[in-house]
Amino acid sequence: AVVSTQSTGEQSPKRLLEVRSRLYELLAHCIPAEMIFRALADELVKHVDGNLQKPVIQSAADYEHKLQQGSRPIYYLEAFIARFMAVYKGFIAEALMDFDDFDFDD
C-alpha cells in the first residue's frame, strides 16, 4: 500500500528511488516478486481512474512475464513502477489540459 501511495502521490526520479528502496526491503524479506507484482497491481488499480485500470493490469502482467525470463526481480519491479508513473503523470497532465479548456460559462 505504501508503494502504491508513493507512486500516485508524486512521479519523479527521487520518488522512484524511494520506491525502489521499499521494493528492495520487500525482496530482502523473501517476499516473492510475483506476489509483489500482484499486490502492487491490485493497490494501484484502486487508486487510479477507470481508464487507467486496464493498462495498469496489462503492464503488470507484461513485466511479471518478463520477470519469469530474467534473473533480477528488482529490475522488473522498478521498470513496472517507472512505467506506471510515466503513464499516470501523462494522464494527469492530459486531464488538467482538458480542465483548462473547459468553458465554465456555458
Side-chain angles (χ1 to χ4, degrees):
V2 172
V3 172
S4 65
T5 303
Q6 289 178 327
S7 300
T8 56
E10 176 188 342
Q11 298 77 44
S12 68
K14 177 184 173 193
R15 182 58 59 124
L16 185 58
L17 284 174
E18 292 171 7
V19 168
R20 184 176 210 244
S21 164
R22 182 77 175 142
L23 293 171
Y24 260 127
E25 286 179 33
L26 295 171
L27 292 169
H29 285 92
C30 299
I31 298 175
E34 295 84 2
M35 185 181 290
I36 297 170
F37 267 115
R38 289 188 189 110
L40 274 173
D42 288 346
E43 286 298 316
L44 290 172
V45 164
K46 291 177 188 176
H47 292 93
V48 297
D49 184 82
N51 294 328
L52 285 180
Q53 291 178 347
K54 184 178 178 183
V56 167
I57 292 168
Q58 182 63 47
S59 184
D62 291 344
Y63 282 105
E64 187 176 356
H65 178 72
K66 290 176 184 180
L67 169 73
Q68 304 304 320
Q69 319 283 310
S71 62
R72 301 289 307 229
I74 191 66
Y75 293 158
Y76 303 102
L77 288 164
E78 183 179 14
F80 168 61
I81 293 296
R83 177 75 180 140
F84 169 78
M85 286 180 165
V87 169
Y88 188 73
K89 189 172 188 173
F91 177 80
I92 295 298
E94 187 177 313
L96 288 174
M97 286 177 48
D98 290 345
F99 184 74
D100 287 343
D101 293 340
F102 186 74
D103 187 10
F104 289 103
D105 295 329
D106 286 340

